[in-house]
Structures are given as structure tokens and as C-alpha cells.
Amino acid sequence: MRTTRLEAFSDAVIAIIMTIMVLELKVPAGTSIASLTPVVPIFASYLLSFVNLAIYWNNHHHMMQVAKHVDGAIMWANMHLLFWLSLIPFATGWMGKDQFSSTPTAIYGFVLLMSAVAYYLLQRAIITRDGPESLLAKAVGKDSKGKLSPVLYLIAIPVAYVLPLISGLLFVVVAVMWMIPDRRIEEILPEEESV
């Protein structure tokens, strides 16, 4: 199977996940600026989750651009990723509704951790299929951000039971780390296309 079909399916699923999340935002019960106060934690969790989903969508797109073919292992690894991403609206809603309290924040961190693990497994499946000299293998290299992200999530999960806002800050740190454009794949494409 060509990668375009897998990418189109994944795009649709991520778009649906984002839509479900925004539909969970409720209109405040008043007309003053003060009536927005109760929805601030909900909006903050929505914003963080939207950014995370956008990061996954962007990186998934770039990864599929350099993948040559899709096999069964890649399809199942992709479905595994989409499963964990599909839980983000649930975790987001719970964390925002309960104003970043311990257990919802820890569960949110667990969903982010498993999403990162699933993305790594998809990346490895593509590298295994395309080989160690593939474009993706060259672009990923040592993958410092890919290794640091799960570590920060692993720290944030237990910290949520002591200082949930610190966990939230760690989630933001990981998102900011990935928002900084990752040009590894873009940089390697011109080299390979010119050969």
C-alpha cells in the first residue's frame, strides 16, 4: 500500500479528534468577562491538547513523506498511535473540568506518554521496513527530543499527585520543545532528491 492512503486516513482521524475536543467546550453561564473564569482551566487544557495534536499531525505528515511503503506492521503501529491520540479528548476534558487535579492530570500524562511511545513504535516500524539507510533513519539520528519527551512524561505522572501544576508545566515544556520546528526530515529531502 502507498503511504498516501494511510496518511489521508490518519489526517481524517486527527481532524475528528480535534473536532470532538472543541465540541466539549461549553459556553459560559453569563455575559460578563468574569463568567469566563470557570472555563479558563478547560480552555487551557484544550489549548495544550490542540497543540499536541497539531504536533503529532505535522510530524506524522513529515514521516509519511519519507516512508517508501506501508506494510501490516506499519498499519498496526499507526492504528496504535491513533488509539492513544483518540483518548486525548477524554483526558483533556477530565483534566480541565477538574481544574488540573491529581488523578486527571496523571491520566492525561499517561495518555501523552503512551502517544509518544506509539509514535516511536510507528517510526521504528517504518525504519525497519525501509532499512537503516532510509531517509527516516538518517533524519531521526539520535532523536534526542524523542527520548527526552517520554522521560519528562514519566516524571510528570507521579509529580501530578504532589504538584499537579508542575506536571502541567512539564507537559507545556514538551509541547514547546516539539513546536520548535524539527527540520531533520526537511533537511534530508533536498539532498536525496538531488541525487
Side-chain angles (χ1 to χ4, degrees):
M1 181 168 90
R2 297 183 60 188
T3 60
T4 52
R5 187 166 178 214
L6 182 73
E7 188 177 0
F9 175 76
S10 301
D11 287 352
V13 171
I14 292 172
I16 290 167
I17 293 168
M18 288 175 157
T19 303
I20 289 168
M21 250 181 10
V22 76
L23 291 175
E24 290 297 316
L25 292 177
K26 303 297 180 213
V27 176
T31 58
S32 69
I33 295 292
S35 62
L36 290 172
T37 304
V39 297
V40 168
I42 295 166
F43 183 76
S45 64
Y46 166 78
L47 179 62
L48 178 61
S49 294
F50 187 91
V51 167
N52 272 297
L53 286 166
I55 290 165
Y56 275 104
W57 176 78
N58 194 342
N59 288 327
H60 186 274
H61 167 74
H62 282 97
M63 188 165 54
M64 288 298 124
Q65 294 300 302
V66 295
K68 291 182 181 175
H69 301 285
V70 173
D71 62 11
I74 293 170
M75 286 177 24
W76 280 110
N78 193 70
M79 292 304 287
H80 181 233
L81 172 63
L82 293 176
F83 170 77
W84 288 106
L85 293 180
S86 74
L87 292 176
I88 288 178
F90 167 76
T92 300
W94 193 17
M95 184 174 71
K97 181 178 135 304
D98 290 324
Q99 301 185 4
F100 292 82
S101 48
S102 297
T103 299
T105 301
I107 295 297
Y108 184 81
F110 180 73
V111 170
L112 291 180
L113 170 65
M114 294 310 296
S115 297
V117 167
Y119 185 86
Y120 172 79
L121 292 174
L122 174 59
Q123 186 175 281
R124 295 309 316 160
I126 293 170
I127 291 171
T128 298
R129 169 71 173 83
D130 290 349
E133 296 302 316
S134 66
L135 288 176
L136 184 58
K138 289 178 188 176
V140 168
K142 293 180 182 177
D143 197 19
S144 304
K145 288 197 295 191
K147 291 175 182 165
L148 180 59
S149 301
V151 170
L152 292 176
Y153 291 143
L154 281 169
I155 293 168
I157 293 168
V159 167
Y161 288 99
V162 183
L163 298 164
L165 289 178
I166 298 298
S167 290
L169 183 61
L170 288 171
F171 302 150
V172 170
V173 166
V174 173
V176 168
M177 196 169 70
W178 283 99
M179 280 177 56
I180 297 167
D182 189 353
R183 305 224 183 269
R184 294 177 297 180
I185 292 175
E186 290 175 359
E187 288 171 357
I188 202 154
L189 275 174
E191 287 177 26
E192 292 296 323
E193 290 174 352
S194 64
V195 176

